[in-house]
Amino acid sequence: MPLTLSFTAQDMANIRFAVSPIGEVVASVRVVKDPAAHPALRPWADQVRRRLAGVDWRLLSDLVPVPTVSIAGFTCTPPATSTPDLEVELATMRAAGDRVRSDLDSVGGPRTARVQALYDDPDRGLERLAEEVGAYWEAAIAPYWPRIRSLLDGEVLRRARLLAEGGADRMLADLDDSVTWQDGRLHLRHRHVSGVRSLRGLGLLLVPCVFAWPRVFSVTTPPYQPTVRYPPRGVATLWERNAVDAPEALATVLGRTRARLLAELDQPASTQDLARRTALTEPGVSRHLVALRAAGLCTAHRTGRYVLYARTAVAEALLAHRA
């Protein structure tokens, strides 16, 4: 039986999106501990294992058991804003001392000595946990964050387009293969949880999460906002990208560099990400994108501190013509 989230009109009005650096950290721990279960993320796990050799992340590891049935809510509280940075989320974690014991009690199961020390002295334990998360982030996530953030922002942009084209029904209909939307209810195939949950008028927070792949995770219990973390499209493309060949005929008209940039925009991307992929300078990429925008071949969308570029329908038609 699936986990079913029941929506009211108020809940529909309160659907929102967010990205979560600390959510990526917590979800990625599962991958490092069991890379064989995450083949699309295996290239990342193989690269970061060496970087983590000198990092103390034992408490963080204890709090994310494998196989993962549930995780204490204070480890990755649903973000209050759409684009929090890691320091904001760490501050939220440090302030969660009053929830540590109840969250650990709800998770149940045996506790390691480190987790028991956290239970006995939440404030001190959370300080240690925040330090471990910060060190883990610098070693394992920060070097990849620009490309991860670009994929996450592109996913949110895609969902916004679907919402504009067909409303919430269209936007929720294809979140993930394990999620279905029908008659005002969102059904999640869940390994360990079932039943019907009310969103309590709080709406639903949707958090695309690269390291959630291939699963969907949910938060439905108070005091947290109901949340669904799901993998965005294109996760497997993050780690090993092959060069994208621009159509020869299009390159003849636009120039090889601009045609290549259009071909690279199979997912919305930032100037920095495109520069990394193409080995061009950021100013050079920016100049070409300005020209492509003027020609109506790409659009720009600001998401927080980033600007993402996306192909227009005209560009899609030009690229499809080679087929």
Side-chain angles (χ1 to χ4, degrees):
M1 179 178 178
L3 173 65
T4 299
L5 304 182
S6 179
F7 287 70
T8 65
Q10 184 66 30
D11 293 316
M12 294 295 290
N14 287 331
I15 295 174
R16 67 183 183 91
F17 281 87
V19 301
S20 174
I22 204 168
E24 298 291 350
V25 167
V26 172
S28 75
V29 170
R30 301 162 38 255
V31 183
V32 177
K33 294 175 71 171
D34 187 14
H38 306 86
L41 301 167
R42 185 68 179 265
W44 170 85
D46 290 342
Q47 292 172 31
V48 304
R49 192 172 294 110
R50 293 185 302 273
R51 295 196 184 101
L52 288 169
V55 175
D56 182 2
W57 54 290
R58 292 173 294 172
L59 176 57
L60 174 61
S61 177
D62 290 348
L63 289 166
V64 187
V66 172
T68 307
V69 177
S70 61
I71 299 173
F74 65 83
T75 61
C76 52
T77 301
T81 63
S82 61
T83 56
D85 60 28
L86 182 65
E87 289 305 316
V88 169
E89 292 195 293
L90 287 177
T92 301
M93 173 188 286
R94 288 186 176 100
D98 60 333
R99 296 200 300 270
V100 166
R101 289 172 178 164
S102 59
D103 283 356
L104 288 175
D105 286 340
S106 67
V107 169
R111 297 179 188 139
T112 66
R114 287 177 289 270
V115 174
Q116 187 60 49
L118 169 63
Y119 189 93
D120 294 338
D121 189 347
D123 291 337
R124 184 176 180 180
L126 286 174
E127 188 61 38
R128 172 180 175 174
L129 179 60
E131 290 175 0
E132 288 192 11
V133 169
Y136 180 101
W137 167 271
E138 290 300 324
I141 306 294
Y144 305 92
W145 184 241
R147 70 180 83 167
I148 292 172
R149 179 62 189 269
S150 181
L151 184 69
L152 297 176
D153 286 342
E155 167 66 17
V156 174
L157 175 60
R158 178 176 175 273
R159 293 290 155 191
R161 285 181 171 174
L162 293 176
L163 182 64
E165 292 171 0
D169 284 349
R170 175 78 183 278
M171 187 268 290
L172 293 169
D174 70 339
L175 277 178
D176 187 80
D177 290 342
S178 65
V179 179
T180 56
W181 169 255
Q182 186 177 18
D183 299 329
R185 291 187 169 192
L186 198 66
H187 306 279
L188 291 73
R189 291 201 302 273
H190 204 293
R191 297 179 184 180
H192 307 288
V193 181
S194 63
V196 179
R197 301 284 193 278
S198 168
L199 299 182
R200 313 188 305 277
L202 299 175
L204 183 65
L205 175 61
L206 293 166
V207 182
C209 179
V210 163
F211 293 101
W213 190 94
R215 292 178 58 181
V216 171
F217 293 89
S218 61
V219 177
T220 58
T221 55
Y224 304 106
Q225 179 176 11
T227 301
V228 170
R229 300 180 189 266
Y230 70 97
R233 296 190 176 191
V235 168
T237 67
L238 278 171
W239 321 118
E240 296 178 353
R241 292 188 59 89
N242 296 321
V244 177
D245 293 327
E248 192 64 35
L250 190 59
T252 301
V253 175
L254 295 179
R256 190 165 300 281
T257 299
R258 291 175 184 174
R260 166 80 186 281
L261 288 171
L262 277 185
E264 288 283 354
L265 289 174
D266 53 340
Q267 295 282 343
S270 66
T271 301
Q272 296 92 326
D273 193 32
L274 290 169
R276 178 185 58 80
R277 296 186 204 172
T278 59
L280 298 170
T281 65
E282 290 186 25
V285 169
S286 182
R287 285 194 297 271
H288 289 302
L289 290 173
V290 168
L292 291 171
R293 286 184 66 191
L297 297 176
C298 75
T299 56
H301 307 266
R302 178 168 291 280
T303 58
R305 294 176 294 173
Y306 295 86
V307 175
L308 294 183
Y309 293 86
R311 293 194 298 236
T312 63
V314 174
E316 295 285 358
L318 288 173
L319 287 164
H321 183 65
R322 62 177 166 174

